């Protein structure tokens, strides 16, 4: 799944669809940033980041916390976050 796959849900009048878009956008960005940081730590990046590594670590920690909050909300609001549920809405 890519960010572009969430566009139609962002514009939906249904708040559960918009919630799914929000969750998956954060999750996609989190995974990509985590992969970048792992490559950086291994010395495998193909570019030089402009920010200090600590900034990226803080961003990852905050994104992870945000994902936890969204997952808690999803349970309370009965919203299924499984990727296959998301794909079925495409």
């Amino acid at each position: 799944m890519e960010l572009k796959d969430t566009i139609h849900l962002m514009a939906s009048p249904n708040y559960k669809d918009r919630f799914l878009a929000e969750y998956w956008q954060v999750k996609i960005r989190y995974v990509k940033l985590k992969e970048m940081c792992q490559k950086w730590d291994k010395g495998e990046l193909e570019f030089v980041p402009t920010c200090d590594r600590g900034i990226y670590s803080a961003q990852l920690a905050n994104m992870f916390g945000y994902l936890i909050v969204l997952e808690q909300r999803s349970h309370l609001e009965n919203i299924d976050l499984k990727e296959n549920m998301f794909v079925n809405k495409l």
Side-chain angles (χ1 to χ4, degrees):
M1 182 184 328
E2 297 178 28
L3 287 174
K4 67 180 180 176
D5 298 326
T6 67
I7 292 170
H8 71 286
L9 292 175
M10 288 175 11
S12 173
N14 183 314
Y15 87 95
K16 288 185 177 187
D17 287 346
R18 292 191 309 273
F19 184 94
L20 282 172
E22 179 179 359
Y23 175 81
W24 281 104
Q25 288 169 5
V26 175
K27 180 109 180 195
I28 291 164
R29 288 182 170 107
Y30 173 80
V31 168
K32 289 189 179 288
L33 183 59
K34 186 175 179 182
E35 289 170 353
M36 185 203 85
C37 288
Q38 289 171 338
K39 285 183 179 180
W40 189 356
D41 294 342
K42 294 177 188 175
E44 299 174 352
L45 272 185
E46 298 177 2
F47 65 96
V48 177
T50 55
C51 293
D52 179 82
R53 178 65 171 81
I55 296 289
Y56 292 107
S57 293
Q59 183 177 350
L60 281 170
N62 283 289
M63 291 172 83
F64 184 75
Y66 186 35
L67 286 169
I68 296 290
V69 170
L70 291 175
E71 288 171 5
Q72 290 171 342
R73 267 191 65 202
S74 75
H75 292 297
L76 294 170
E77 297 183 24
N78 201 26
I79 300 171
D80 192 348
L81 295 176
K82 293 178 189 160
E83 188 172 351
N84 63 338
M85 294 301 295
F86 173 84
V87 172
N88 289 337
K89 290 187 169 283
L90 294 177

